[in-house]
Amino acid sequence: MDWEPLVAAARAARERAYAPYSHFAVGAALLMEDGSIHAAANVENCIPALSICAERNAMSAAASAGLRRPQAVAVVTDATPPARPCGLCRQTLIEFAKDLPILVVNVNGDREETTLAEIFPQPFSLPG
């Protein structure tokens, strides 16, 4: 898979992050079933529960455009090692793709490729 368009989109999105409280800027880019890329940044709020992660913002944008099948996601942070999606993001993404390929990258260029199934083997689900 050619990750470079997703990484570039995630890096650009990260530059637009609103993170005045944590100072932890995140950019995420999703490759969708139609080949489009939906990228977003995290947006914090002084009430932490109202903050929205980059991955959830990107998935919401894609879903709002009528797209429901992400093919891959790239996430860019400045963390070492590169930061993986949080639990809320994992639960959101797994709603749409059980074994989503994930590439996490930091601003130094360190990379880790994994899958959603690998990092989230037992997601929450409703009975029935």
Side-chain angles (χ1 to χ4, degrees), residues 3 14 21 23 25 36-37 42 46 53 55 58 100 109:
W3 286 102
R14 182 181 177 274
Y21 305 104
H23 305 288
S36 65
I37 294 175
N42 57 320
C46 66
C53 301
E55 300 92 326
L100 185 66

PDB file of all heavy atoms in Angstrom, residues 3 14 21 23 25 36-37 42 46 53 55 58 100 109:
ATOM      1  N   TRP A   3       1.352   4.497   1.405  1.00  0.00           N
ATOM      2  CA  TRP A   3       0.907   5.274   2.555  1.00  0.00           C
ATOM      3  C   TRP A   3       1.157   6.774   2.391  1.00  0.00           C
ATOM      4  O   TRP A   3       0.593   7.578   3.135  1.00  0.00           O
ATOM      5  CB  TRP A   3       1.630   4.796   3.816  1.00  0.00           C
ATOM      6  CG  TRP A   3       1.154   3.495   4.345  1.00  0.00           C
ATOM      7  CD1 TRP A   3       1.760   2.273   4.210  1.00  0.00           C
ATOM      8  CD2 TRP A   3      -0.028   3.254   5.117  1.00  0.00           C
ATOM      9  NE1 TRP A   3       1.026   1.303   4.853  1.00  0.00           N
ATOM     10  CE2 TRP A   3      -0.075   1.874   5.426  1.00  0.00           C
ATOM     11  CE3 TRP A   3      -1.052   4.076   5.582  1.00  0.00           C
ATOM     12  CZ2 TRP A   3      -1.099   1.305   6.167  1.00  0.00           C
ATOM     13  CZ3 TRP A   3      -2.079   3.507   6.324  1.00  0.00           C
ATOM     14  CH2 TRP A   3      -2.093   2.142   6.607  1.00  0.00           C
ATOM     15  N   ARG A  14      -2.656  17.868  10.841  1.00  0.00           N
ATOM     16  CA  ARG A  14      -2.064  18.096  12.162  1.00  0.00           C
ATOM     17  C   ARG A  14      -1.689  19.559  12.347  1.00  0.00           C
ATOM     18  O   ARG A  14      -1.796  20.103  13.455  1.00  0.00           O
ATOM     19  CB  ARG A  14      -0.837  17.202  12.343  1.00  0.00           C
ATOM     20  CG  ARG A  14      -0.184  17.327  13.692  1.00  0.00           C
ATOM     21  CD  ARG A  14       1.050  16.415  13.808  1.00  0.00           C
ATOM     22  NE  ARG A  14       1.675  16.635  15.084  1.00  0.00           N
ATOM     23  CZ  ARG A  14       2.572  17.592  15.334  1.00  0.00           C
ATOM     24  NH1 ARG A  14       2.961  18.411  14.359  1.00  0.00           N
ATOM     25  NH2 ARG A  14       3.088  17.731  16.542  1.00  0.00           N
ATOM     26  N   TYR A  21      -4.674  23.031  25.283  1.00  0.00           N
ATOM     27  CA  TYR A  21      -4.609  22.485  26.646  1.00  0.00           C
ATOM     28  C   TYR A  21      -3.552  21.392  26.765  1.00  0.00           C
ATOM     29  O   TYR A  21      -2.697  21.434  27.630  1.00  0.00           O
ATOM     30  CB  TYR A  21      -5.998  21.992  27.081  1.00  0.00           C
ATOM     31  CG  TYR A  21      -7.013  23.099  26.937  1.00  0.00           C
ATOM     32  CD1 TYR A  21      -7.911  23.112  25.886  1.00  0.00           C
ATOM     33  CD2 TYR A  21      -7.030  24.178  27.818  1.00  0.00           C
ATOM     34  CE1 TYR A  21      -8.809  24.162  25.712  1.00  0.00           C
ATOM     35  CE2 TYR A  21      -7.910  25.231  27.660  1.00  0.00           C
ATOM     36  CZ  TYR A  21      -8.806  25.214  26.610  1.00  0.00           C
ATOM     37  OH  TYR A  21      -9.675  26.253  26.445  1.00  0.00           O
ATOM     38  N   HIS A  23      -1.454  20.506  24.178  1.00  0.00           N
ATOM     39  CA  HIS A  23      -0.348  20.785  23.246  1.00  0.00           C
ATOM     40  C   HIS A  23       0.066  19.516  22.497  1.00  0.00           C
ATOM     41  O   HIS A  23       1.217  19.377  22.089  1.00  0.00           O
ATOM     42  CB  HIS A  23       0.849  21.415  23.969  1.00  0.00           C
ATOM     43  CG  HIS A  23       0.469  22.639  24.735  1.00  0.00           C
ATOM     44  ND1 HIS A  23       0.143  23.835  24.122  1.00  0.00           N
ATOM     45  CD2 HIS A  23       0.320  22.836  26.060  1.00  0.00           C
ATOM     46  CE1 HIS A  23      -0.174  24.724  25.049  1.00  0.00           C
ATOM     47  NE2 HIS A  23      -0.085  24.146  26.221  1.00  0.00           N
ATOM     48  N   ALA A  25      -0.817  17.868  19.299  1.00  0.00           N
ATOM     49  CA  ALA A  25      -1.475  17.986  17.999  1.00  0.00           C
ATOM     50  C   ALA A  25      -1.463  16.645  17.281  1.00  0.00           C
ATOM     51  O   ALA A  25      -0.439  15.959  17.242  1.00  0.00           O
ATOM     52  CB  ALA A  25      -0.773  19.031  17.155  1.00  0.00           C
ATOM     53  N   SER A  36     -11.232   8.376  -1.990  1.00  0.00           N
ATOM     54  CA  SER A  36     -11.060   9.713  -1.418  1.00  0.00           C
ATOM     55  C   SER A  36     -10.320   9.623  -0.086  1.00  0.00           C
ATOM     56  O   SER A  36     -10.304   8.585   0.577  1.00  0.00           O
ATOM     57  CB  SER A  36     -12.411  10.408  -1.227  1.00  0.00           C
ATOM     58  OG  SER A  36     -13.197   9.722  -0.272  1.00  0.00           O
ATOM     59  N   ILE A  37      -9.707  10.730   0.275  1.00  0.00           N
ATOM     60  CA  ILE A  37      -9.014  10.838   1.556  1.00  0.00           C
ATOM     61  C   ILE A  37      -9.719  11.893   2.385  1.00  0.00           C
ATOM     62  O   ILE A  37      -9.954  13.015   1.911  1.00  0.00           O
ATOM     63  CB  ILE A  37      -7.530  11.212   1.351  1.00  0.00           C
ATOM     64  CG1 ILE A  37      -6.796  10.074   0.651  1.00  0.00           C
ATOM     65  CG2 ILE A  37      -6.876  11.538   2.692  1.00  0.00           C
ATOM     66  CD1 ILE A  37      -5.361  10.388   0.288  1.00  0.00           C
ATOM     67  N   ASN A  42      -7.254  17.022  15.678  1.00  0.00           N
ATOM     68  CA  ASN A  42      -7.967  17.035  16.954  1.00  0.00           C
ATOM     69  C   ASN A  42      -8.387  18.460  17.294  1.00  0.00           C
ATOM     70  O   ASN A  42      -7.734  19.436  16.900  1.00  0.00           O
ATOM     71  CB  ASN A  42      -7.124  16.408  18.076  1.00  0.00           C
ATOM     72  CG  ASN A  42      -5.764  17.053  18.288  1.00  0.00           C
ATOM     73  OD1 ASN A  42      -5.077  17.418  17.344  1.00  0.00           O
ATOM     74  ND2 ASN A  42      -5.371  17.197  19.549  1.00  0.00           N
ATOM     75  N   CYS A  46     -12.052  23.207  26.701  1.00  0.00           N
ATOM     76  CA  CYS A  46     -11.662  23.311  28.107  1.00  0.00           C
ATOM     77  C   CYS A  46     -12.375  22.267  28.967  1.00  0.00           C
ATOM     78  O   CYS A  46     -11.912  21.954  30.058  1.00  0.00           O
ATOM     79  CB  CYS A  46     -11.884  24.725  28.643  1.00  0.00           C
ATOM     80  SG  CYS A  46     -13.595  25.241  28.713  1.00  0.00           S
ATOM     81  N   CYS A  53     -11.062  13.791  18.935  1.00  0.00           N
ATOM     82  CA  CYS A  53      -9.809  13.299  18.364  1.00  0.00           C
ATOM     83  C   CYS A  53      -9.816  13.423  16.841  1.00  0.00           C
ATOM     84  O   CYS A  53     -10.871  13.434  16.201  1.00  0.00           O
ATOM     85  CB  CYS A  53      -9.605  11.836  18.728  1.00  0.00           C
ATOM     86  SG  CYS A  53      -9.544  11.523  20.496  1.00  0.00           S
ATOM     87  N   GLU A  55      -8.891  11.212  14.598  1.00  0.00           N
ATOM     88  CA  GLU A  55      -9.425  10.022  13.924  1.00  0.00           C
ATOM     89  C   GLU A  55     -10.958  10.040  13.891  1.00  0.00           C
ATOM     90  O   GLU A  55     -11.566   9.715  12.875  1.00  0.00           O
ATOM     91  CB  GLU A  55      -8.953   8.741  14.636  1.00  0.00           C
ATOM     92  CG  GLU A  55      -7.458   8.579  14.668  1.00  0.00           C
ATOM     93  CD  GLU A  55      -6.789   9.152  15.917  1.00  0.00           C
ATOM     94  OE1 GLU A  55      -7.262  10.192  16.450  1.00  0.00           O
ATOM     95  OE2 GLU A  55      -5.790   8.566  16.350  1.00  0.00           O
ATOM     96  N   ALA A  58     -12.103  12.700  11.395  1.00  0.00           N
ATOM     97  CA  ALA A  58     -11.972  12.236  10.008  1.00  0.00           C
ATOM     98  C   ALA A  58     -13.075  11.237   9.661  1.00  0.00           C
ATOM     99  O   ALA A  58     -13.673  11.309   8.580  1.00  0.00           O
ATOM    100  CB  ALA A  58     -10.591  11.614   9.787  1.00  0.00           C
ATOM    101  N   LEU A 100      -8.946  -2.720  10.046  1.00  0.00           N
ATOM    102  CA  LEU A 100      -8.427  -1.544   9.343  1.00  0.00           C
ATOM    103  C   LEU A 100      -6.904  -1.461   9.459  1.00  0.00           C
ATOM    104  O   LEU A 100      -6.363  -1.491  10.565  1.00  0.00           O
ATOM    105  CB  LEU A 100      -9.055  -0.294   9.963  1.00  0.00           C
ATOM    106  CG  LEU A 100      -8.764   1.045   9.328  1.00  0.00           C
ATOM    107  CD1 LEU A 100      -9.383   1.107   7.930  1.00  0.00           C
ATOM    108  CD2 LEU A 100      -9.298   2.159  10.202  1.00  0.00           C
ATOM    109  N   GLY A 109       9.655  10.937  11.660  1.00  0.00           N
ATOM    110  CA  GLY A 109       9.632   9.942  10.595  1.00  0.00           C
ATOM    111  C   GLY A 109       9.559   8.504  11.078  1.00  0.00           C
ATOM    112  O   GLY A 109       9.521   7.578  10.266  1.00  0.00           O
TER     113      GLY A 109
END
